[in-house]
Amino acid sequence: MRVLPLGPAQLCHRATMETALGLQMDGALAQQMAVFPGTLRALPASMGRLEAAWVEPTATALRAAVLAGDLKGAVMAVFGGGPIGQLACRIAAQRGADQVILVEPAPERRRFGPASGADPTLSPAQAGGQLDASTVDVVFECSGSAAARAEALRLLTPGGVLVNVGAGPGGGFDPDVILLKEITIRGSFVYGSEFDGAIELLARGDIRVDDLTTEIAPVEDALRAIDALRSAEVMKVFVAPNG
């Protein structure tokens, strides 16, 4: 049997696809849960519980930004205006992007775009009609949509970078466009050391998340809150175990 060298934890199939907390294993809504001590972090005393609840999605968006490279002065497009997409916009702006464009089909989520530093904030149809080809340096694809991936390739400049964060069925990656534009595509799966970086960003107040928290719900309302999230009626619900 071939023994593979140790690598990044997020690339371990068993950890992410077989025993992930909140997915295959009971998460924090269970009466009890077991975790490996090495995964725990001590939060700064200055960090509120709301910011602490946003560490995981912030780490996911931060990893995409790290993989994209230097964003200073870049023209960015973010596809998908859910929590990860909104955080990606905010982190890109915080890292010095010259312009951040948000593309999101749901008007309930597009309205958060300006506060996330996005200008303009467009529906997919508007983006197709208003944005010229080969005008964007970096794309964060956070929607998992094949149509969004195809549109990202159209918008990217030659030599541009596409960071694929969203998972979804279908293709969208035209190999001829990738070839002729010499586009770099990078997969960004959850996070690694970015978890610690996300804690620092939120503890310092560099990234604001309170306005993205649509509702604070008690445990007994958790199922209703989850249904609202699935229908894109809200941005993010914080389930508060202790009220």
Side-chain angles (χ1 to χ4, degrees):
M1 181 179 70
R2 182 185 176 196
V3 178
L4 297 176
L6 293 176
Q10 71 270 21
L11 300 185
C12 173
H13 186 276
R14 185 168 185 269
T16 59
M17 299 296 181
E18 298 176 11
T19 60
L21 293 175
L23 296 174
Q24 298 86 14
M25 307 291 287
D26 285 343
L29 290 180
Q31 290 184 337
Q32 293 181 328
M33 61 181 289
V35 300
F36 291 107
T39 65
L40 300 177
R41 298 292 186 273
L43 297 178
S46 60
M47 178 181 282
R49 66 172 187 166
L50 192 62
E51 287 73 24
W54 277 89
V55 170
E56 193 275 342
T58 302
T60 300
L62 180 58
R63 177 158 185 80
V66 169
L67 290 173
D70 185 9
L71 298 179
K72 189 173 182 179
V75 176
M76 302 260 326
V78 176
F79 285 83
I84 303 299
Q86 299 291 341
L87 288 165
C89 290
R90 295 178 184 214
I91 291 173
Q94 192 259 346
R95 289 188 163 222
D98 187 58
Q99 182 183 19
V100 179
I101 303 163
L102 176 63
V103 182
E104 162 58 44
E108 296 86 354
R109 292 186 166 182
R110 282 201 303 274
R111 68 182 180 87
F112 290 90
S116 295
D119 183 20
T121 298
L122 306 170
S123 69
Q126 290 171 328
Q130 297 180 27
L131 301 180
D132 294 331
S134 301
T135 54
V136 171
D137 301 309
V138 180
V139 170
F140 290 167
E141 205 305 284
C142 302
S143 71
S145 164
R149 291 191 283 267
E151 178 68 357
L153 294 184
R154 183 185 78 85
L155 294 179
L156 278 168
T157 59
V161 175
L162 193 160
V163 182
N164 194 76
V165 185
F173 290 141
D174 185 330
D176 289 338
V177 177
I178 296 169
L179 170 70
L180 295 174
K181 286 189 174 183
E182 291 194 350
I183 289 171
T184 297
I185 298 177
R186 292 178 177 145
S188 180
F189 183 49
V190 295
Y191 43 80
S193 60
E194 293 81 15
F195 204 86
D196 295 307
I199 291 174
E200 293 179 8
L201 283 175
L202 291 165
R204 291 197 305 259
D206 292 345
I207 301 296
R208 182 185 174 191
V209 292
D210 61 318
D211 61 320
L212 293 174
T213 308
T214 314
E215 178 186 354
I216 298 176
V219 170
E220 54 267 26
D221 285 346
L223 293 181
R224 176 197 56 77
I226 291 171
D227 287 339
L229 286 171
R230 285 180 177 145
S231 62
E233 296 174 10
V234 299
M235 177 58 66
K236 193 73 167 176
V237 175
F238 174 30
V239 178
N242 300 318

